[in-house]
Amino acid sequence: MDAPTFPERDVRYLDWFSREELVELHGHNERRRPESIVDVDYVVKRTDFSAEVPERFDLVVANHVLEHVADPITWLQQAAAVAAEGGVLFLSLPDRRFTFDYIRPESTFVDLLRAHEQRLERADFHQVLSALLYHRPVRAPDFWDGHPEELEKKLSNRRFSVPEAIERAKSISRRYSGVHCHVFTRDSFERTIAELEESRLVPWRLGEIDEVADGNNEFHVLLRTPDQASPGAVGKA
Ligand SMILES: C[S@@+](CC[C@H](N)C(=O)[O-])C[C@H]1O[C@@H](n2cnc3c(N)ncnc32)[C@H](O)[C@@H]1O
């Protein structure tokens, strides 16, 4: 959004929101630089976004996006539809062990399947409720800087009572919200991708996945199409 991975390259940007909308949504966030938010080439407010993208890409990058997507199975299918033959998908994802989702239950393949069967277009009531109820005011440095009492205090500091969270979730889920719809750790994502592969619901296979680097809160994933992931299969027939 405000820190493109390849600013000087031949790149197209796709988002649910236009640059103007992103500035309005994130301009007040002190960790964002609104003046650096990129122009969005494809503003697509639909889950089957490939229908509006006539180009095909060797590399599809989605940094801190998939956790915001209500139905990741559809999103992964759509990402495959905009990838060129042999294209790869690079994801950065927050690991809940180092974020405000620390105490939030991890999403499983079953949660993703349910969201897919419901064809969710935005965070539903239960996803928003989970995001509100299990949010804790902690960030990566709280986990790496070694002040256990401070960390413990923050982890016991919930924002909303259950009735408050339910009321807010009802209202927030009526429109698109920027909440995390899904929550992963590096290991839970590796397992989930393996289960997605096995289900044959998504045409991606795990290429590489790294560990969360010291001081950080994210891990990185490279997904490939099946022939690339198992080169031995090429020409076998
Ligand atoms: C946390 S921001 C990350 C932005 C940028 N990749 C970065 O690293 O700064 C998540 C972005 O994904 C977009 N987004 C979330 N769900 C989306 C969807 N289903 N389709 C397209 N964009 C989506 C949001 O509008 C937002 O700009």
Side-chain angles (χ1 to χ4, degrees):
M1 179 190 296
D2 58 351
T5 311
F6 302 110
E8 309 299 330
R9 305 294 285 270
D10 184 19
V11 169
R12 304 284 183 281
Y13 296 98
L14 178 143
D15 204 287
W16 195 271
F17 296 111
S18 67
R19 178 180 191 283
E20 293 67 33
E21 289 172 313
L22 289 169
V23 168
E24 178 146 355
L25 284 168
H26 301 280
H28 61 278
N29 184 339
E30 61 195 29
R31 295 205 296 277
R32 293 277 180 203
R33 292 169 298 146
E35 68 286 357
S36 302
I37 294 179
V38 298
D39 274 326
V40 181
D41 301 287
Y42 295 108
V43 179
V44 188
K45 290 182 181 6
R46 54 193 277 188
T47 50
D48 57 342
F49 59 83
S50 70
E52 296 195 20
V53 181
E55 303 174 83
R56 294 294 170 265
F57 301 92
D58 296 324
L59 170 62
V60 179
V61 177
N63 292 324
H64 292 255
V65 173
L66 195 67
E67 71 276 15
H68 293 275
V69 174
D71 168 9
I73 292 177
T74 293
W75 190 92
L76 287 163
Q77 292 169 344
Q78 292 293 306
V82 299
E85 205 181 323
V88 296
L89 171 61
F90 177 85
L91 304 171
S92 302
L93 288 163
D95 183 311
R96 66 137 190 89
R97 295 171 300 161
F98 307 98
T99 74
F100 50 73
D101 284 326
Y102 181 80
I103 70 154
R104 195 170 159 190
E106 287 149 27
S107 303
T108 63
F109 166 74
V110 178
D111 296 314
L112 270 54
L113 187 62
R114 179 163 48 192
H116 186 56
E117 286 167 359
Q118 295 171 341
R119 295 293 189 273
L120 292 186
E121 299 209 336
R122 60 175 188 272
D124 72 358
F125 167 75
H126 296 97
Q127 291 174 340
V128 176
L129 181 60
S130 179
L132 296 179
L133 208 49
Y134 303 125
H135 178 283
R136 293 296 179 270
V138 286
R139 298 180 51 212
D142 294 307
F143 298 98
W144 292 102
D145 289 354
H147 301 292
E149 284 168 20
E150 185 92 345
L151 175 62
E152 208 50 47
K153 214 166 103 191
K154 288 185 177 179
L155 288 176
S156 61
N157 180 4
R158 66 178 181 159
R159 276 161 119 191
F160 307 110
S161 68
V162 172
E164 279 169 354
I166 288 175
E167 275 318 299
R168 277 177 182 260
K170 278 184 198 162
S171 142
I172 291 173
S173 58
R174 286 191 201 111
R175 56 183 192 281
Y176 179 91
S177 64
V179 300
H180 286 181
C181 301
H182 294 284
V183 175
F184 305 102
T185 63
R186 182 253 180 234
D187 288 354
S188 82
F189 192 77
E190 185 175 31
R191 185 170 57 245
T192 301
I193 278 293
E195 290 165 344
L196 286 171
E197 269 180 52
E198 202 182 330
S199 74
R200 298 182 185 271
L201 280 166
V202 302
W204 295 107
R205 301 190 70 176
L206 184 62
E208 291 170 43
I209 182 165
D210 69 1
E211 300 289 340
V212 177
D214 284 2
N216 216 322
N217 70 356
E218 65 181 22
F219 58 96
H220 309 106
V221 185
L222 191 70
L223 298 177
R224 299 179 188 279
T225 50
D227 282 348
Q228 295 171 291
S230 53
V234 176
K236 249 187 182 171

